Amino acid sequence: MKKLINSAETVVGDALRGLAAAHPSLRIDHERRLVLRAEPKDYGTVALVSGGGSGHEPLHSGYVGFGMLDAACPGEIFTSPAPQHWLDAAVAAERGAGVLLIVKNYAGDVMNAEIAAELAAERRLDLRTVIIADDVSLEPPVRRGTGTALLVHRLVGAAAEQGHDLDELHALAVRVAASGRSMGLALRPATVPAAGNPTFELGDDEIEWGVGIHGEPGRERQPLGTARELAGRLVDPILADGLPSGPAIVLLSGLGSTPLIELYVMHAEIVALLAHAGVTVARALVGNHVTALDMAGCSLTVLPVDDELLSLWDSPVETPVLRWGR
Amino acid sequence: MKKLINSAETVVGDALRGLAAAHPSLRIDHERRLVLRAEPKDYGTVALVSGGGSGHEPLHSGYVGFGMLDAACPGEIFTSPAPQHWLDAAVAAERGAGVLLIVKNYAGDVMNAEIAAELAAERRLDLRTVIIADDVSLEPPVRRGTGTALLVHRLVGAAAEQGHDLDELHALAVRVAASGRSMGLALRPATVPAAGNPTFELGDDEIEWGVGIHGEPGRERQPLGTARELAGRLVDPILADGLPSGPAIVLLSGLGSTPLIELYVMHAEIVALLAHAGVTVARALVGNHVTALDMAGCSLTVLPVDDELLSLWDSPVETPVLRWGR
């Protein structure tokens, strides 16, 4: 295992020190492992909290800031934050109008966030949860959560900044979560530092198709193909899942060790295939956004949008990764 | 070789199609392979042009926009643009006040840019060149150019937007180029698509120390160490090269396939080591900025700054990668 780390035990805390040094717009509570805005949002607005295992950087911490998240609680690598960790983040972020927890559909995250919600209820903290389950490589209800989480952070974060209440924001989050669809493929597996070995084996001419972002194997192993062929294998199951024609936001995320030039090659093919199906790319994010340590490959997320969602997308945002219009 | 491409022959053109689809703020001339601003800068201001081989994405195209570059001319992978390509970029970018060519110190780039400058002179195009040679792993005059190029794009791009003339901007670029210092290390080599094999071999417990960004081997092979030890091996030669104490801008770039969590771990160690030497990190960029295809590892660039340079750094910028204050 070759990694730029001090030890498997310290990697999450060490990275948080680097995050704090690089981004003065964030306030890091190192003891409780919370990533917060240095300038909290207006009092009387709903706070957005997201979390999950570490290893998906820049998710979640890179999306804390104006127009997106109020707090992130990074767990150990590929490991859910404990219930108290989720609760700590909610309490630290809360600004008098309730908290929306954004949780990806993994057993540990869902269970721990549920317990955190019970603990919050005991404290009379107004907290609602939305579950992201957008990975079309599996059938509901076991669909995993991936790229749509980022789109929920942005769209609901924008609406929260505009002063919508918790009921409205929860409804918006549920609507976006239900209409986003993702599909991923890997060229190389990830290596979790504490394990030291790749999470699965893959031949020199094979791709793992339908991977999640926790190093788990996918739905099927297939021969490597051209970018055009691989783009089809991402787009087709998303279309088959019922993606409507019309405008969409597209997120094409590298999984951690895929160079940007390859992502742009894939994006060109994906845009052409979607256009052929009547889906126009209204906005696009291409880069390493939702990753799985050093996995090579990419994940495609497509979200149908209307004018309301596009207006939310374009409204001001100021985080370490996304910044515009402010 | 496992890559998300259609073919080694088409990768640069295919990626430019994806770049165009993802970034409406760019105008791509596919026939001449130029990346330009969709909204050219004010007439009567100096244009900044940078280029070099492809494979370093987001360099150079991701830094075309307000407050940075006016044009980029991406060559084939790790291959200099031809003289006519450099000239085409200069002519397309020119806005009546001359052109500054920013060239990294690689034999092909320097030679082709020199010929382009001669061709420009024949056309009475007012063109000046600055050479970036910031890699302290080699002695002058063979020092290669790397991360300082990005800092020159930003700082001189900001000054160009403010209306400074070509003499002033050339002097600023020379000053920044002379004071930026870089050092890189690789955990894994890159694979150039047309070759299909890694550019060098590296053992399971070895790092290549002092690598450039074109897949060439470095200055020395050393055993892998902790992030703290590796950070020392990047910082020490930069200090030994005469880095003064005081405020600095730090660029810590992944080389293409290094996950962000590892870069943040390294950044924490680098900031501590620099502080110990009296160097305070006034601004930091951490991420995949100046890459070498799928090489794993990182490159550290440190630029001493004064209030004038910090003010230029903080002024508005709007490119696909860097965006703030506008």
Side-chain angles (χ1 to χ4, degrees), chain A residues 153-167:
Chain A
H153 298 166
R154 172 63 193 124
L155 296 168
V156 183
E161 225 64 64
Q162 294 170 4
H164 291 276
D165 69 22
L166 185 53
D167 281 344

Side-chain angles (χ1 to χ4, degrees), chain A residues 149-307:
Chain A
L150 190 158
L151 307 183
V152 169
H153 298 166
R154 172 63 193 124
L155 296 168
V156 183
E161 225 64 64
Q162 294 170 4
H164 291 276
D165 69 22
L166 185 53
D167 281 344
E168 292 166 336
L169 295 176
H170 183 259
L172 175 64
V174 167
R175 177 157 70 93
V176 173
S179 54
R181 294 171 174 88
S182 295
M183 185 73 192
L185 62 82
L187 303 186
R188 276 198 314 271
T191 297
V192 177
N197 293 307
T199 55
F200 54 85
E201 297 291 331
L202 207 48
D204 279 348
D205 55 353
E206 288 178 325
I207 63 158
E208 188 78 21
W209 186 61
V211 292
I213 54 172
H214 292 86
E216 65 275 50
R219 159 167 148 183
E220 204 177 333
R221 203 151 287 189
Q222 298 192 339
L224 184 64
T226 63
R228 190 160 304 168
E229 290 162 355
L230 296 176
R233 293 188 222 166
L234 294 178
V235 168
D236 288 348
I238 287 176
L239 292 173
D241 193 63
L243 181 75
S245 60
I249 295 174
V250 163
L251 164 65
L252 179 64
S253 182
L255 292 177
S257 72
T258 292
L260 192 54
I261 192 169
E262 297 182 33
L263 296 179
Y264 280 127
V265 169
M266 287 293 289
H267 186 63
E269 304 300 339
I270 287 165
V271 169
L273 290 168
L274 288 173
H276 191 72
V279 179
T280 54
V281 180
R283 302 290 184 276
L285 281 183
V286 179
N288 286 299
H289 289 284
V290 180
T291 66
L293 291 174
D294 54 353
M295 187 179 276
C298 63
S299 172
L300 170 66
T301 300
V302 186
L303 176 74
V305 287
D306 54 17
D307 287 346

